[in-house]
Amino acid sequence: MGSTPQPRRGNTRQRIQDVALELFAEQGYEKTSLREIAERLQVTKAALYYHFKTKDDILSGIFEDLNRPVEELLEWGREQPRTLETKKEILVRYSEALKAAAPLFVFMQENQAAVRDLSIGPTMKQRVVALVDLIKEPDAPLTDQVRCFTALFAMHAGMMALRDAEGDPEEKREAALEVAIELVTKAHDPGPTA
Amino acid sequence: MGSTPQPRRGNTRQRIQDVALELFAEQGYEKTSLREIAERLQVTKAALYYHFKTKDDILSGIFEDLNRPVEELLEWGREQPRTLETKKEILVRYSEALKAAAPLFVFMQENQAAVRDLSIGPTMKQRVVALVDLIKEPDAPLTDQVRCFTALFAMHAGMMALRDAEGDPEEKREAALEVAIELVTKAHDPGPTA
Amino acid sequence: MGSTPQPRRGNTRQRIQDVALELFAEQGYEKTSLREIAERLQVTKAALYYHFKTKDDILSGIFEDLNRPVEELLEWGREQPRTLETKKEILVRYSEALKAAAPLFVFMQENQAAVRDLSIGPTMKQRVVALVDLIKEPDAPLTDQVRCFTALFAMHAGMMALRDAEGDPEEKREAALEVAIELVTKAHDPGPTA
Amino acid sequence: MGSTPQPRRGNTRQRIQDVALELFAEQGYEKTSLREIAERLQVTKAALYYHFKTKDDILSGIFEDLNRPVEELLEWGREQPRTLETKKEILVRYSEALKAAAPLFVFMQENQAAVRDLSIGPTMKQRVVALVDLIKEPDAPLTDQVRCFTALFAMHAGMMALRDAEGDPEEKREAALEVAIELVTKAHDPGPTA
DNA sequence: TATGAATGAGGGTTCATTCAT
DNA sequence: GATGAATGAACCCTCATTCAT
């Protein structure tokens, strides 16, 4: 009882990443110690160091794996014409990407300060900038910039409200997407007001 | 240098809070050590403990001071009729409050994970909920809830963009406010769509 | 309510000693901080330093006050002939002295290690030696020395059992006294065995 | 000196316990710092934490190891008939056990206050109660209870007198045992008096 | 008679990391 | 593919004590 040895050779690296992300998202990066990760895996701290060079490295690994779809989205987006349709499609795809990597994004949203001077910090920042660049017009006025930036945030926030609130996560995601599209649409073609 | 004994009038408590907030916002809560705060004040760590019972307590003190305007805003808001005009006024006032306490809000935005299990954690959560409650209709559909939540976020984000970007902070704040009002207006009276 | 200012000027020194002894006996010397004492008196730590030079000094003060009867007993004892009657009388008087200063003696019994290198340490040791000297014969065999030493211990133990156990403290004290007398009597006149 | 790297075989845990007990007994629990223990072992404080979870835990470890004989004695005692012979045998064996673990018992005697709210505190108390229960009659009058309690104390005291006094420790132990037996015998069969 | 403000030394504890095996 | 043992640096915090006011 409770003693299943679970050898599972070969996949330890993956298991470390899984547990680490789980704890990082739950408690924050700084408050999660390697001891804790190791204990939950029934492994020694030293074992973690066989698979990863540093704590930072564990996070990097997770990020690289889960972030690939977003990177691909960026590449795809850069080759499209900057039409409203394209922008909408980007939002839709981004929303999908978020769904797949929800815990990572929740984590990054809630641990910005901690993540900032980790090795993924710069990458992350660039990625946000790049995304905004794809959905806003080159010389958009400040208000439209805010709209686009907020559209992204809305989608991240959709993930986080998942923590507390009532309601199906999937529905929330769709609602967030809808609002994001609305914002970007308005930014694309300001209409009568400005 | 460092030899002038420094008058040390009765403002130490305030100076601690100032420096602490500065460092918390700059580096994050966990990465800011009391040693660092003390050193920057040319004081011993023990001196901090004369003025505050704990590290958490320093943050609490800051929060209590800077959060008072928001608390007053909430009280005021609860006594008003839930009209669109009221909602707009709330956003305007909130934006003003943010301006005065910018670093604190940036800090809280970027350190959610760390702050969550500090003593101000619960208070903060309630406060967001209360604010959203004031600007959304009681049984608003999910999309409208997202709009209102996002409106708040937009304004916080306005503060943070301050960090990186080009442009006058004051202009950014106004842009964020405009977008927030737009979102809440849409949520208040959905119009033809949804 | 709960705010009676209790000025009681003049007797602060005494009140400090009272509270200190109370806490020392309850928690031990090392685990009782001056902060704690001060707080319970609604006074600042610095105030304690107006009345006593050091923490050690507070204990010394208590000891000197409460130990005087024992000191007088020793002086009296030294002038008496070393008869069995005298010895019994000494035990009786000592038991009485213990009754008056119970918490102090409980404290000293339970904090020997801590007390040993305080200023009262040496005094205390001498005093035990002096007491034993009064109730044992000069060249008593080892067994009789143990009897006399144990007699004293028995009386101290009587105080401590007061903490846990059932029964009237006064009765316990008398029982302890009885056993002590028995031991000293046996030591005084070994009888057939030895 | 201090440069020989020292083989560091797998006995570190034991060495920590040895040094710790030595210092605890010499200076008291509270006054012995982990730094001190570590230094004497030419090891870092952190190394102690590899082997023990906490300072309290170090003491627990020592206690568990050295207390086993007493525990076995208790078990044995509970299976014997409560005759005078049994009681005597218990005292004899207990005395032997004390001999083997002298420093621990001296320590516990002198640090009662400190030990009381450590994790071994409750265990220790129970153990004394259990021992007394074995050597006193169920409904013994108060005086007899004191005799039995004192008998145990006498033996502990025998250990401590070792610190100061003249004379062979072994002889002292035997003297203490003799007095203890005497007390318990008297308690077992009160004789003419009461 | 006291207090407010501060200090220096040290406490126990935890962390990410290393390295020989 | 992993462990056992250890380290160095830092952590938050508490203490007894001081001194100008």
Side-chain angles (χ1 to χ4, degrees), chain C residues 12 43-44 46-47 50-51:
Chain C
T12 304
V43 169
T44 9
Y50 177 79
H51 294 281

Side-chain angles (χ1 to χ4, degrees), chain C residues 112-141:
Chain C
Q112 289 176 72
V115 154
R116 200 185 310 141
D117 30 33
L118 257 32
S119 64
I120 67 168
T123 313
M124 253 196 52
K125 197 167 189 169
Q126 287 172 227
R127 224 212 37 208
V128 171
V129 171
L131 261 171
V132 171
D133 271 356
L134 283 184
I135 57 179
K136 82 176 222 301
E137 293 301 299
D139 305 317

Side-chain angles (χ1 to χ4, degrees), chain A residues 177-194:
Chain A
L177 176 56
E178 190 182 328
V179 173
I181 288 179
E182 188 178 301
L183 281 160
V184 168
T185 302
K186 179 125 193 178
H188 184 77
D189 174 18
T193 322

Side-chain angles (χ1 to χ4, degrees), chain A residues 3-13 15 41-43 51:
Chain A
S3 64
T4 37
Q6 254 175 301
R8 288 205 201 168
R9 52 200 164 67
N11 59 345
T12 304
R13 192 188 148 93
R15 285 170 62 224
L41 284 165
Q42 312 231 81
V43 169
H51 295 280

